[in-house]
């Protein structure tokens, strides 16, 4: 979760977060191995990092977010020996996997930033998983609230990663069912103030489970279509790629 959306004391995860985690775990399932070194840039509250550690014990994650407070670094680190939370990127490192999950849209100069991550931190044949908000035409006050410079089409995202020396392994979209609600709620109705985001989710367990199931099935359909070479548009674009050379 973006730290701007986090609400203190809200223990219910938005179904978008939990279903996105399911999708990320499915994308990474054949690549996660014990001892893997992972760099999670823009880790937010560490939800993804913590979940990956539970799925694959033995991986080591360096979780970085410039918006973390000193208190959050201390609190998030408690009982998480396998995760090192930081406010700044390390001086150097050789990581097997870099996660840039809804990060690049926050970076004004995204291309040089990505190139630096690849060349400075990624081991030879290391992997990068990128997710971004899709389609510039959906840019809204919520993007402005979150500090986004842009949204991406999938071809734009692929061009960006290839320009950073990465070879695309898989790519696609997530959350096709959220395209229409996003268009209506944020563009056609055009609220004056941006909603607080996923951190304000307060529905009960039944509604939360049902929405999670719908979104999870939605993403599985997109994965299945992707395996047939069909790219169905969705609210999130993603690409898994591999570093070329040393």
């Amino acid at each position: 979760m973006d730290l701007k959306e986090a609400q203190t004391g809200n223990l219910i995860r938005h179904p978008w977060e939990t279903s996105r985690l399911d999708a990320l775990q499915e994308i990474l399932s054949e690549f996660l191995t014990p001892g893997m070194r992972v760099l999670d840039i823009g880790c937010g509250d560490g939800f993804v990092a913590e979940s990956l550690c539970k799925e694959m014990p033995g991986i080591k994650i360096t979780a970085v977010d410039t918006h973390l407070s000193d208190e959050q670094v201390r609190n998030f680190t408690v009982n998480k020996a396998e995760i090192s939370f930081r406010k700044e990127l390390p001086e150097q490192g050789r990581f097997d996997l870099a996660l840039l999950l809804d990060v690049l849209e926050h970076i004004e100069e995204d291309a040089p930033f990505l190139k630096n991550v690849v060349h400075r931190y990624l081991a030879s044949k290391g992997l990068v998983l990128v997710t971004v908000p899709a389609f510039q035409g959906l840019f809204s006050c919520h993007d402005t609230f979150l500090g986004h410079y842009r949204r991406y089409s999938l071809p734009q995202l692929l061009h960006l990663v290839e320009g950073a020396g990465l070879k695309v392994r898989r790519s696609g979209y997530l959350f096709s069912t959220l395209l229409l609600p996003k268009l209506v709620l944020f563009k056609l109705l055009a609220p004056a103030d941006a909603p607080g985001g996923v951190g304000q989710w307060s529905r009960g367990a039944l509604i939360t489970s049902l929405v999670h199931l719908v979104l999870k099935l939605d993403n599985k359909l997109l994965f299945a279509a992707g395996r047939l070479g069909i790219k169905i548009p969705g609210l999130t674009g993603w690409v898994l790629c591999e570093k070329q050379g040393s």
Side-chain angles (χ1 to χ4, degrees):
M1 179 194 303
D2 192 305
L3 290 171
K4 283 188 176 181
E5 298 179 288
Q7 298 288 315
T8 302
N10 189 359
L11 301 178
I12 303 175
R13 290 281 175 181
H14 193 290
W16 175 86
E17 277 194 282
T18 54
S19 56
R20 185 182 76 145
L21 175 64
D22 289 338
L24 298 176
Q25 290 175 321
E26 182 166 341
I27 294 168
L28 293 172
S29 60
E30 63 182 288
F31 303 102
L32 293 178
T33 57
M36 196 173 203
R37 299 158 297 176
V38 181
L39 178 62
D40 183 1
I41 301 176
C43 65
D45 62 359
F47 175 59
V48 171
E50 187 175 355
S51 300
L52 291 180
C53 286
K54 290 178 180 175
E55 180 186 5
M56 181 53 66
I59 65 173
K60 297 291 185 183
I61 299 183
T62 299
V64 183
D65 199 308
T66 57
H67 295 103
L68 285 171
S69 66
D70 292 336
E71 180 181 9
Q72 286 172 320
V73 170
R74 287 193 299 271
N75 292 339
F76 291 166
T77 302
V78 172
N79 298 324
K80 299 183 184 73
E82 67 281 7
I83 305 176
S84 172
F85 284 94
R86 301 172 55 98
K87 296 169 62 177
E88 303 291 342
L89 284 164
E91 288 296 319
Q92 58 186 3
R94 279 298 190 229
F95 294 90
D96 306 301
L97 169 65
L99 301 175
L100 291 161
L101 307 177
D102 294 285
V103 169
L104 291 179
E105 66 274 15
H106 293 270
I107 309 297
E108 185 171 8
E109 299 292 337
D110 54 356
F113 175 82
L114 181 58
K115 286 181 180 178
N116 181 58
V117 169
V118 171
H119 294 292
R120 189 171 182 180
Y121 298 109
L122 208 60
S124 177
K125 300 295 183 182
L127 298 172
V128 182
L129 177 58
V130 179
T131 63
V132 291
F135 300 115
Q136 183 63 25
L138 294 175
F139 195 95
S140 69
C141 58
H142 190 236
D143 292 280
T144 302
F145 166 73
L146 293 174
H148 295 174
Y149 285 97
R150 69 195 78 78
R151 303 175 71 92
Y152 299 78
S153 68
L154 191 56
Q156 288 172 326
L157 179 59
L158 300 185
H159 179 74
L160 180 66
V161 300
E162 289 171 349
L166 295 165
K167 178 182 178 181
V168 175
R169 300 279 296 265
R170 292 179 61 196
S171 65
Y173 289 101
L174 301 173
F175 302 118
S176 66
T177 54
L178 295 181
L179 276 177
L180 183 58
K182 175 76 174 182
L183 177 65
V184 172
L185 293 176
F186 290 91
K187 295 297 290 186
L188 300 183
L189 297 180
D193 298 320
V198 298
Q200 292 188 349
W201 178 262
S202 59
R203 303 297 184 184
L206 178 59
I207 297 296
T208 300
S209 297
L210 288 174
V211 176
H212 170 86
L213 179 60
V214 169
L215 296 179
K216 183 174 181 175
L217 292 175
D218 177 15
N219 290 333
K220 283 190 171 295
L221 174 63
L222 296 185
F223 286 143
R227 284 191 285 273
L228 298 175
I230 302 170
K231 305 290 187 185
I232 299 175
L235 198 60
T236 294
W238 67 271
V239 60
L240 177 68
C241 34
E242 178 182 303
K243 181 180 181 180
Q244 301 299 289
S246 58

